[in-house]
Amino acid sequence: MSRLSFWGRCLVAALAAALLLPAGMAAAATHTVSAGESLYSISRYYGVSLNELCQANGIYNDLIYPGQQLCIPGKGGHTDNTGTYTVQPGDSLYLIARRYATSIEEIKSANSLGSDVIYPGQKLVIPSAARGGTGPAQVSRGSITSGPVDYSRSDFDLLARLITAEADSESYITKVAVGAVVLNRVKSGIFPRSIQGVVYQVDETGSYQFEPVLNGWINRPPSDEARRAALDALNGVDPTGGALYFFESWVPNGWLQSRPVSMVSDSFTFTY
């Protein structure tokens, strides 16, 4: 017997939910998974049970990945066309701010909130949505939107593979920092202006900028954590504060070691 496709399962779940819900209630919404999210956090965010979420999407384990589209049974949209958001059960200002690429303080200021306490059904003005912001970067079938720049799915995959090859044994913050260095180079004006150009760059001496390109490790599939780190970097997370270089701290390279240090994380030093 053939298995239904992902979208087929979503459609079946949505139709089933529509038949069971009272009139006037939204049948289903679609959620795009962001870095750092889990099935538990998403279920709390929408006020549905883990079991409902898994059944609606044909999920039989806890594995989800950034960019994955999930059907949310019984939930409608988020902000309306005026940038107003209706608080859902399980929401917090932190989760809402992260989702809409704004800050807790901006939301509190826009809504004259004196504390972090919010409640289901409360209407909040979302500053980034009200001014036309795009929210966090999301992986789609075609491109990844991150602020003013659109990266292709292959860019995302290449960045995740580089992070895996360079920093798979390092902490999560180091992985994000490696991705941020690549993006800082793209934006710098002194390096190639694309992720592919930066990763595969060969300098004037004929040297590869990244060793995994030379030894072939760049061709290994990315780890799940590296994918999450790549998406965080594309979202603008930069623990280095704009660093353009990184190297293993023990490497005896006078030129790299002479540059201003941004941070030292695990076995890597990041410099400007």
Side-chain angles (χ1 to χ4, degrees):
M1 182 176 64
S2 62
R3 297 179 61 186
L4 285 173
S5 67
F6 170 76
W7 289 111
R9 292 196 302 270
C10 283
L11 179 59
V12 170
L15 291 173
L19 292 173
L20 295 173
L21 291 173
M25 287 186 66
T30 300
H31 174 85
T32 304
V33 178
S34 295
E37 288 187 316
S38 65
L39 286 172
Y40 174 73
S41 68
I42 295 170
S43 68
R44 279 184 54 84
Y45 183 85
Y46 288 99
V48 300
S49 71
L50 269 175
N51 186 53
E52 289 175 317
L53 185 60
C54 290
Q55 284 188 351
N57 293 279
I59 295 175
Y60 304 103
N61 54 46
D62 293 335
L63 181 62
I64 57 175
Y65 55 87
Q68 183 176 356
Q69 302 254 329
L70 297 178
C71 291
I72 309 299
K75 295 296 175 181
H78 301 297
T79 59
D80 60 25
N81 57 11
T82 67
T84 301
Y85 174 82
T86 301
V87 177
Q88 301 295 317
D91 272 343
S92 68
L93 288 179
Y94 170 78
L95 287 173
I96 297 170
R98 179 179 173 85
R99 181 169 180 79
Y100 289 99
T102 184
S103 69
I104 292 174
E105 292 307 316
E106 282 187 309
I107 294 178
K108 290 172 68 174
S109 176
N111 294 276
S112 301
L113 299 179
S115 72
D116 292 349
V117 177
I118 55 176
Y119 55 86
Q122 183 177 2
K123 302 285 189 180
L124 295 177
V125 174
I126 306 300
S128 63
R131 62 174 177 257
T134 59
Q138 303 289 349
V139 184
S140 68
R141 291 183 180 180
S143 64
I144 302 166
T145 300
S146 179
V149 181
D150 286 347
Y151 296 104
S152 69
R153 188 63 180 262
S154 61
D155 287 332
F156 167 71
D157 180 67
L158 178 58
L159 185 62
R161 284 190 280 119
L162 180 71
I163 293 171
T164 300
E166 289 280 8
D168 200 37
S169 62
E170 310 296 326
S171 66
Y172 186 74
I173 192 171
T174 300
K175 289 181 173 67
V176 176
V178 168
V181 165
V182 173
L183 296 177
N184 290 339
R185 289 190 176 194
V186 171
K187 300 169 187 175
S188 70
I190 60 176
F191 289 94
R193 299 188 63 81
S194 68
I195 291 176
Q196 182 172 349
V198 166
V199 170
Y200 289 109
Q201 183 184 12
V202 178
D203 65 22
E204 61 276 4
T205 68
S207 300
Y208 289 93
Q209 291 289 295
F210 297 99
E211 186 176 355
V213 176
L214 178 62
N215 61 28
W217 286 15
I218 190 66
N219 298 315
R220 295 181 174 183
S223 66
D224 288 338
E225 189 166 84
R227 288 170 58 87
R228 293 195 296 272
L231 193 59
D232 266 347
L234 289 168
N235 269 323
V237 179
D238 182 4
T240 75
L244 294 173
Y245 305 92
F246 66 87
F247 58 94
E248 291 182 289
S249 302
W250 57 267
V251 172
N253 186 309
W255 185 83
L256 285 173
Q257 291 173 336
S258 70
R259 302 189 67 82
V261 173
S262 160
M263 64 179 284
V264 176
S265 181
D266 301 323
S267 62
F268 287 161
T269 296
F270 295 82
T271 65
Y272 298 108

